[in-house]
Amino acid sequence: MGLRRLAPVCAGFAAVAAVSVTLAGSAVAAQTAVKVALEGSFLGPSAPFFVAQDRGYYRNARLDVAINAATDALNRVASGDAEFTVADINTVMKYRDQNPDAPIKAVFMIYNKPSYAIIARKSRGIAKPKDLEGKRLGAPDDDPVTALWPLFAKLNGIDVSKVKVENVAVAVREPILAAGQVDAVTGSALSTYISLKERGVPVADLLILPMGDYGMQLYGDAIVVNTKFASEKPAAVKAFLIAHVNALKSTIRDPVYAVNSLIKRNEAANKNIELERLRMAIEDNIVTDEVLENGFGAIDAARFANAIEQLGQTYKFKTMPAPPDVFDASFLPPAAQRQVGARPRRG
């Protein structure tokens, strides 16, 4: 090929290259920067957020997501320092009641059932809630589950005058149950139960009484967004939730991969423990009968109204919230995209 014929071809390649660079630059520019603040250290149930990073779900959604551990996650989202967090929906309701102007709202329910539970020793003659009568219950004052104890007792016909409730520090809750100084404790199945196992308490002697299985209508952890960000960039919020649904499905299909993604961000975590914690969360809190019917992320309006009413029996609201004050379902992916499929097999 002569130089005269080569020149136009080279010019054409240059033009295509220039267009490609421009399009690539546009794609990068189109990404929305998002900060996610997760309370505490990264544990098994946080794995889907890292799966979304490692599988490219955020990138495909045109999101540049940074995930950081925090000790004041709700405050960070309310201040605009982060766009998203995960928080217990009941804590969110209390926070909004105490800070009515806080620009936060839940947009995706992760835990259809909370991990709140009474964890007991079967060897102390406990097989059901009523058996707590005549027993000693370790209950930290500053634990949200302890605040729900009177309601749990009422729902299950427990005479509270027959239960000796001992105020214990959170740090010694598991040790004193392991040592037999109390017969049961209030806590989270995802932390207290696993901690007791690690302390050598025989699994066969441990009983979990999930409050969600005994009359509690409450939901659990939810994705919470800064509402100013949501109003300015609704497409980004929707894209984030689509990515999370994809990550949840991937996590359920391959929890080992999910925990490996987590361990890369928290090398101090024990892989086997976090895998068990994640599987427990999936089976007991995330994929429930209600979720199998309605899909990930949604709430049942009637149940949520009942949950607010129940919470109002243990927390004195300044202003009783209505469901739309707390949860905005408008950002959820279409129902067809949120379907779970088959119930995950127990690991």
Side-chain angles (χ1 to χ4, degrees):
M1 183 182 291
L3 291 177
R4 289 185 180 179
R5 294 178 63 188
L6 182 60
V9 175
C10 291
F13 282 143
V16 171
V19 170
S20 299
V21 170
T22 300
L23 290 176
S26 297
V28 172
Q31 284 193 327
T32 300
V34 170
K35 295 190 290 290
V36 179
L38 296 181
E39 192 74 29
S41 57
F42 300 148
L43 300 178
S46 301
F49 292 93
F50 304 113
V51 170
Q53 285 186 324
D54 291 348
R55 295 285 196 195
Y57 299 141
Y58 291 141
R59 182 174 61 252
N60 294 341
R62 294 285 188 264
L63 298 174
D64 179 13
V65 178
I67 304 172
N68 296 295
T71 56
D72 56 350
L74 275 180
N75 283 329
R76 289 188 60 185
V77 173
S79 69
D81 186 48
E83 284 72 45
F84 293 97
T85 189
V86 173
D88 175 73
I89 190 66
N90 308 293
T91 300
V92 173
M93 284 191 271
K94 295 175 185 177
Y95 185 95
R96 284 178 53 88
D97 188 58
Q98 296 161 12
N99 306 275
D101 296 326
I104 60 170
K105 193 170 287 191
V107 289
F108 188 99
M109 194 63 66
I110 300 175
Y111 285 1
N112 184 262
K113 289 199 309 185
S115 63
Y116 304 152
I118 304 294
I119 298 90
R121 302 286 295 269
K122 294 178 185 178
S123 57
R124 298 305 180 95
I126 302 172
K128 58 186 183 299
K130 187 73 171 173
D131 295 336
L132 291 168
E133 293 181 358
K135 304 296 191 297
R136 292 167 297 170
L137 178 68
D141 262 354
D142 53 351
D143 189 281
V145 187
T146 299
L148 296 169
W149 158 249
L151 176 60
F152 178 81
K154 177 181 177 182
L155 291 170
N156 291 280
I158 300 169
D159 185 344
V160 293
S161 69
K162 296 180 180 179
V163 181
K164 185 178 180 181
V165 179
E166 299 184 7
N167 177 24
V168 300
V170 171
V172 301
R173 169 174 45 199
E174 288 81 16
I176 65 170
L177 182 59
Q181 294 174 270
V182 294
D183 306 301
V185 295
T186 60
S188 163
L190 295 177
S191 57
T192 300
Y193 170 78
I194 289 177
S195 176
L196 287 164
K197 280 185 60 179
E198 291 306 302
R199 289 181 175 277
V201 179
V203 173
D205 193 33
L206 287 174
L207 175 69
I208 300 175
L209 298 172
M211 290 187 171
D213 289 349
Y214 290 94
M216 288 276 188
Q217 296 290 298
L218 306 182
Y219 286 88
D221 286 3
I223 294 177
V224 178
V225 70
N226 177 284
T227 54
K228 183 176 183 293
F229 173 81
S231 65
E232 293 173 350
K233 298 184 178 179
V237 178
K238 292 179 180 180
F240 185 86
L241 297 185
I242 289 173
H244 192 74
V245 168
N246 290 335
L248 274 176
K249 292 179 179 179
S250 178
T251 297
I252 290 169
R253 287 193 303 268
D254 193 349
V256 174
Y257 174 92
V259 168
N260 284 335
S261 287
L262 170 78
I263 296 296
K264 287 191 290 186
R265 279 81 174 187
N266 181 9
E267 295 181 354
N270 180 292
K271 180 178 177 179
N272 291 332
I273 291 174
E274 297 317 319
L275 182 58
E276 179 179 16
R277 201 190 312 270
L278 174 60
R279 282 177 166 154
M280 282 182 64
I282 291 170
E283 295 162 6
D284 299 333
N285 309 110
I286 296 174
V287 181
T288 66
D289 290 339
E290 186 176 301
V291 171
L292 287 169
E293 181 178 349
N294 299 330
F296 291 117
I299 60 169
D300 178 275
R303 175 189 161 189
F304 193 51
N306 289 336
I308 294 173
E309 188 277 329
Q310 283 190 339
L311 185 62
Q313 295 183 43
T314 63
Y315 172 80
K316 187 175 179 58
F317 284 107
K318 297 175 183 176
T319 304
M320 182 72 75
D325 297 332
V326 183
F327 189 89
D328 185 349
S330 67
F331 298 100
L332 288 174
Q337 288 183 260
R338 293 186 287 102
Q339 291 307 303
V340 180
R343 185 185 291 276
R345 292 177 297 175
R346 288 191 174 268

